[in-house]
Every structure is written in structure tokens, then in C-alpha cells.
């Protein structure tokens, strides 16, 4: 499969399972991929899954958004910035993670952020629900603001909002209306849809939560 042949993609700051799923689909589609990993254990797993098809950069999860010298160095191998070089696609965990890398995103490219569904979306407590709604609104505002900022460069900015994904934290997790947990692969498919197929969409947030966010 060569769907993404000729494309260059950076995957940074994501939950490890989701990041690896995105990178794997990109590699299988023929893209050049630069993936950040949180340590040597993640690096070994990624190398096993991806082989030599992706370039891996170890970046501590606690690293500040601006502390990404090794990543910038790797991006520099792709040439200039903006229209002349860099990445076509950027998958990042948050606006703060993406922002230092924007000069390396080609004009006309795409940015896909991860905006998790608040874990308490389905809880009926009013105070908790209000907090979750506030967090969601703030996330939507940030995505929309970055989309407006980059529209002049023809760069689309959207977000996936994963919730109820397999391997949740310890403790009871309410199942969504679909009656099962989702997979990192399903989040990756949604992210790649926004990155490559939704060519007239920007500033959107796509829930990947089995309908959890729609519960009354």
C-alpha cells in the first residue's frame, strides 16, 4: 500500500499506543515517519513494530515544549521549513507540543491534535460535569484558534478526542453506548482521516469514544 508515499509525518507527544498506531499506518502507507518515544523501552517496542522504516527520537515525557533540540535536528534533515521542506503532517498531543514544530510543517499541510474526552463525561454530578464541559470548551477554543492562525498558510488543524480506549487506568470505567472499549487503531484511523481525507475541514474536534460524549 502506497497511499501516503511521498509524505513526511511527525508523530510527537501522543499516548504511546496511539502514537505507535498512527506511525504504523503511515509507514505501511509509504510515508517517511519521525516518531518520538518516551524512553528506551518504548523505543524497543517501536523498533519491533516499525522496523527501520521510521526514525525514532527519545524525548522524555516531562520535556518542556520548547526543549526539543534533538527533534528539531532530525527535522532539519528534511530540508528547509514551510513551503520548501519539512513535514506534510504533524500529529501532536496538544497545541503547546505542536507550536514549536510549526515552522517545519509545509504550507498546505495538516496538524492533528489529541484532545481526550474528559474521563468524567458520563458522571452525573453537576460540578464534575461542568468542569468536564469547561475543559472540552477550552480544548475546542485552542484548536479553533490555531486553525485560524494557520489558515493563511493553508494548513488545516483538527483534533481527535479519544475516550474509552482499551487499556484504561485502574478502576471501573463506564462503557460507552457502543458497549465496548475502543482501540488505538481506531483512534489512528480517525486521526489519519482528518490529516489526509478531510481536505475542507479545519478547527474540528472528532470524538472517538463510542458515543460516550453523547450520553445525557
Amino acid at each position: 500500500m502506497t497511499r501516503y508515499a511521498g509524505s513526511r509525518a511527525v508523530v510527537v507527544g501522543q499516548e504511546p499506543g496511539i502514537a505507535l498506531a498512527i506511525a504504523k499506518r503511515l509507514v505501511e502507507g509509504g510515508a517517511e515517519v519521525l516518531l518520538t518515544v518516551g524512553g528506551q523501552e518504548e523505543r524497543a517496542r517501536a523498533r519491533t513494530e516499525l522496523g527501520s522504516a521510521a526514525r525514532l527520537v527519545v524525548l522524555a515525557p516531562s520535556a518542556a515544549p520548547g526543549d526539543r533540540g534533538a527533534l528539531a535536528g532530525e527535522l532539519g534533515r528534511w530540508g528547509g521549513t514551510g513551503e520548501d521542506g519539512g513535514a506534510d503532517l504533524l500529529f501532536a498531543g496538544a497545541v503547546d507540543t505542536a507550536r514549536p514544530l510549526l515552522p517545519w510543517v509545509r504550507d498546505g499541510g495538516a496538524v492533528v491534535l489529541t484532545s481526550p474526552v474528559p474521563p468524567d463525561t458520563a458522571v452525573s454530578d453537576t460540578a464534575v460535569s461542568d468542569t468536564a464541559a469547561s475543559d472540552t470548551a477550552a480544548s475546542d477554543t485552542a484548536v479553533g484558534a490555531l486553525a485560524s492562525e494557520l489558515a493563511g498558510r493553508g494548513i488545516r488543524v483538527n483534533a481527535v478526542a479519544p475516550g474509552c480506549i482499551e487499556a484504561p487506568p485502574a478502576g471501573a470505567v463506564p462503557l460507552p453506548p457502543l458497549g465496548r472499549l475502543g482501540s488505538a487503531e481506531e483512534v489512528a484511523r480517525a486521526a489519519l482521516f482528518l490529516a489526509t481525507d478531510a481536505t475542507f475541514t479545519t478547527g474540528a474536534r472528532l470524538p472517538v469514544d463510542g458515543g460516550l460524549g453523547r450520553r445525557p
Side-chain angles (χ1 to χ4, degrees):
M1 184 171 66
T2 58
R3 181 175 184 183
Y4 308 119
S7 296
R8 292 170 170 172
V10 179
V11 185
V12 57
Q14 304 271 358
E15 187 279 327
I18 292 174
L20 186 56
I22 292 172
K24 189 171 183 178
R25 288 188 71 83
L26 286 164
V27 165
E28 289 173 347
E32 293 183 61
V33 177
L34 179 58
L35 170 67
T36 63
V37 293
Q40 294 305 323
E41 184 175 341
E42 283 184 28
R43 181 187 180 93
R45 179 188 173 195
R47 186 58 70 203
T48 298
E49 291 281 341
L50 304 175
S52 59
R55 287 152 54 194
L56 306 178
V57 176
V58 176
L59 188 66
S62 59
D67 186 18
R68 302 185 181 273
L71 182 55
E74 288 292 326
L75 284 167
R77 297 185 184 182
W78 279 343
T81 59
E83 186 178 13
D84 301 321
D88 302 284
L89 309 173
L90 171 60
F91 299 86
V95 170
D96 286 348
T97 305
R99 186 168 291 284
L101 305 177
L102 294 178
W104 281 276
V105 178
R106 287 179 177 173
D107 294 353
V111 176
V112 179
L113 306 171
T114 301
S115 172
V117 171
D120 295 306
T121 298
V123 178
S124 60
D125 180 81
T126 301
V128 172
S129 297
D130 287 348
T131 299
S134 177
D135 290 346
T136 299
S139 175
D140 288 350
T141 299
V143 172
L146 189 61
S148 295
E149 178 183 333
L150 296 179
R153 292 178 55 193
I155 296 174
R156 295 175 294 106
V157 180
N158 295 292
V160 289
C164 287
I165 304 304
E166 61 189 358
V173 175
L175 290 177
L178 285 183
R180 65 174 178 83
L181 297 179
S183 68
E185 170 69 15
E186 289 172 307
V187 179
R189 289 201 297 267
L192 284 162
F193 164 75
L194 290 174
T196 62
D197 291 329
T199 54
F200 199 55
T201 301
T202 193
R205 179 175 176 273
L206 176 61
V208 188
D209 62 0
L212 179 65
R214 293 291 182 181
R215 275 186 170 172

